[in-house]
Amino acid sequence: MVSWKAIEIANALPAEAMDDGRAIRIATARPKQWAARRGLPADVRD
């Protein structure tokens, strides 16, 4: 469930505005936060 949220967030990030490393960090951290707020497992690999 969290993996689709990571893809959704990554696709929403502006491609030109930031370097790839920062975009990857954001795209993995935000879904974990999203899942934690909803009481869901925060494993991005699920």
Side-chain angles (χ1 to χ4, degrees), residues 30-45:
R30 286 189 184 169
K32 290 177 184 177
Q33 295 166 353
W34 175 86
R37 287 193 302 268
R38 287 160 178 79
L40 300 171
D43 188 1
V44 175
R45 296 171 290 164

Side-chain angles (χ1 to χ4, degrees), residues 10-30:
N11 288 336
L13 293 171
E16 300 296 324
M18 66 183 68
D19 67 275
D20 289 344
R22 184 163 189 258
I24 291 168
R25 288 190 301 275
I26 291 170
T28 55
R30 286 189 184 169

